[in-house]
Amino acid sequence: MQSLWFVRQGHLEWRDVAAPRLGGDLEALVQPIAASTCDIDRLIISQPSPFKDPFAIGHNGVGRVLEVGEGVRTVTPGDLVAISWHISCGQCDRCRRGLLAHCRQTAPGTCYGLPGRESWGGLFDDVVRVPFADAMLHRLPGGVDPVAFVATSDNLTLGYATVAPHIKAGRDRILVLGWGINGLYVVAFARALGARSLTYVDDDTANRETATELGATAFPGPPDRGMGPFDLVVDASADPKWLRGVMRLIEPESMVECVAHLGDVTLPGWQWYGTGATLHCGLCSCTGPHVHETFKAVGSGAVVPSKLWSERVAWDQDLPAAMVAHRRQLVAVRSET
């Protein structure tokens, strides 16, 4: 079968690899029918990154179930499903707490589309093996183009998970620092959830235009001292200077969610201490506890993912070049979908 591989900065290629087979009663085989890029993919492809060796890329995708083990109860062959990014059992103490990105049954960081101690391929593969089908596959709702849910694995659900708990807690004056797709999903869900004030900062003109269409007040960077104050900041900028600068813009005891950085960030410790803000930076275990509400928002039309994509392209031999050149979020769709 064919698998899309990151080879080196600026170069991807199709490779022929062995097709996976079921390895146990709890497993499933799924054919991805649509897959999309992520901000992490864009950084890896376009810039020097920590990842030096070739690997199968792609961790956002929806697919059709081909085969299931005898112990699988929630999906059957033919079902259209969203595929969780992280390999997670759904049964350990961490998974039961919703920490699916930190499952005890797998090595740290085990997932589709990135290198790690365990290799599970990428969601641009012709077929992927899902070791814990009941925990990792989510049947898509009817009545909506299944491709709309392509980023459920990560970006789409992350948008909901990043802001929903804070808006429910009353933190509804929000600043979003953008660069790629993650910031725009945050804006879309913040508006759908009724944020009182929504400010978006990004140097990309097209991104600012999209954020404005979604209901945010958009500015070029960097964040300005005259903005705010904000009680929630979402940093999806991948710019350490922008993250450092938010200390001038936030309310005491506010929340800063960081969803972008691959490199080191230095923060003003004394200023942070004096403000009492909470910083959360890390992988989001979003595809378990937040999938239902994400599906609901898309199904109702409150969030329309296709308005955020930059390209929708064919799943063909030209895909590697399209991936290298893509802006924001590229969605590839199989012709038979």
Side-chain angles (χ1 to χ4, degrees):
M1 72 170 190
Q2 288 215 302
S3 173
L4 185 61
W5 282 59
F6 168 80
V7 178
R8 60 183 179 275
Q9 183 180 338
H11 182 71
L12 284 79
E13 66 184 28
W14 289 110
R15 291 189 173 183
D16 290 320
V17 300
R21 297 181 179 181
L22 289 181
D25 289 343
L26 302 180
E27 299 191 356
L29 297 179
V30 178
Q31 179 193 45
I33 61 169
S36 73
T37 56
C38 167
D39 285 353
I40 291 178
D41 298 328
R42 186 176 171 196
L43 287 169
I44 291 170
I45 293 168
S46 64
Q47 303 177 20
S49 77
F51 309 118
K52 305 303 181 186
D53 296 326
F55 61 90
I57 199 168
H59 63 264
N60 273 320
V62 291
R64 180 175 289 105
V65 178
L66 300 177
E67 188 177 353
V68 299
E70 292 183 0
V72 175
R73 298 290 178 263
T74 59
V75 296
T76 60
D79 286 344
L80 295 176
V81 293
I83 307 161
S84 290
W85 172 20
H86 300 285
I87 308 300
S88 52
C89 72
Q91 298 299 318
C92 71
D93 63 313
R94 288 179 179 171
C95 285
R96 290 197 301 271
R97 289 162 52 205
L99 304 179
L100 304 181
H102 308 282
C103 175
R104 291 193 188 275
Q105 299 300 313
T106 62
T110 301
C111 61
Y112 296 109
L114 290 173
R117 297 184 207 171
E118 303 174 14
S119 177
W120 291 91
L123 297 188
F124 289 97
D125 290 3
D126 284 342
V127 179
V128 293
R129 176 178 158 223
V130 182
F132 305 104
D134 287 341
M136 295 177 57
L137 298 180
H138 310 278
R139 188 184 290 113
L140 300 182
V144 180
D145 179 3
V147 179
F149 300 101
V150 66
T152 299
S153 310
D154 184 13
N155 309 128
L156 179 64
T157 316
L158 176 66
Y160 175 85
T162 300
V163 295
H166 302 303
I167 292 177
K168 292 176 182 178
R171 296 188 183 98
D172 58 2
R173 292 173 297 174
I174 302 173
L175 170 65
V176 180
L177 307 180
W179 170 76
I181 191 64
N182 281 327
L184 293 173
Y185 277 123
V186 167
V187 169
F189 278 102
R191 179 55 64 204
L193 292 168
R196 174 162 48 118
S197 170
L198 188 55
T199 301
Y200 181 82
V201 176
D202 195 322
D203 280 337
D204 186 281
T205 301
N207 287 355
R208 293 199 305 273
E209 291 174 352
T210 299
T212 300
E213 293 170 0
L214 293 170
T217 302
F219 301 95
D224 184 81
R225 185 185 295 270
M227 299 176 180
F230 302 98
D231 43 36
L232 172 63
V233 175
V234 179
D235 177 26
S237 71
D239 188 328
K241 297 187 296 296
W242 286 19
L243 176 59
R244 182 181 176 88
V246 303
M247 289 306 303
R248 302 171 300 174
L249 308 175
I250 56 179
E251 284 280 282
E253 303 297 331
S254 56
M255 186 75 194
V256 179
E257 291 276 3
C258 179
V259 299
H261 292 283
L262 295 181
D264 294 337
V265 178
T266 301
L267 300 174
W270 179 244
Q271 190 178 14
W272 204 284
Y273 176 85
T275 304
T278 298
L279 170 67
H280 175 255
C281 180
L283 296 170
C284 179
S285 301
C286 48
T287 48
H290 302 291
V291 166
H292 175 75
E293 291 300 321
T294 301
F295 282 174
K296 182 178 177 181
V298 174
S300 69
V303 172
V304 183
S306 60
K307 290 183 177 181
L308 311 185
W309 305 337
S310 48
E311 294 99 353
R312 176 168 171 158
V313 302
W315 190 305
D316 57 21
Q317 294 303 307
D318 295 329
L319 183 55
M323 288 270 285
V324 171
H326 87 279
R327 301 173 296 107
R328 204 155 80 193
Q329 187 158 53
L330 174 146
V331 176
V333 183
R334 288 188 187 273
S335 59
E336 62 268 29
T337 299

